[in-house]
Amino acid sequence: QVTFYLSRVLGSKVYSLQGQFVGKVKDLLINSDYRTQAGGRPIVLGIVVVRKGVETIYDFSAFQVTRVAKKPT
């Protein structure tokens, strides 16, 4: 289980397991039923990815959230 802020992932690039660019995160779909929330936090069910103006919804369980180190400025 991973905790992250929506504001930190919006606009992030999404890549396939093969390293191909899929698109950018536009939104997350959550289960708003408070009885199924883990530790009081909503459970992410889906992810909306946009590429070339086309939105696609993916099952979030197929995704891996990783932290990428930012380049020093």
Side-chain angles (χ1 to χ4, degrees):
Q1 184 176 0
V2 176
T3 299
F4 56 87
Y5 292 103
L6 174 62
S7 60
R8 300 283 289 214
V9 298
L10 287 178
S12 296
K13 293 178 181 178
V14 177
Y15 295 92
S16 70
L17 290 174
Q18 294 77 28
Q20 295 178 324
F21 178 69
V22 175
K24 291 187 177 183
V25 177
K26 181 172 181 184
D27 208 351
L28 299 177
L29 307 174
I30 64 165
N31 182 346
S32 61
D33 184 349
Y34 70 92
R35 293 170 291 185
T36 61
Q37 294 180 1
R41 296 185 175 113
I43 297 171
V44 179
L45 301 175
I47 182 169
V48 181
V49 176
V50 65
R51 182 171 183 187
K52 297 180 181 178
V54 177
E55 294 180 9
T56 305
I57 299 173
Y58 295 97
D59 182 346
F60 192 73
S61 66
F63 281 76
Q64 178 180 5
V65 178
T66 58
R67 179 178 287 185
V68 177
K70 297 231 178 199
K71 294 179 183 177
T73 56

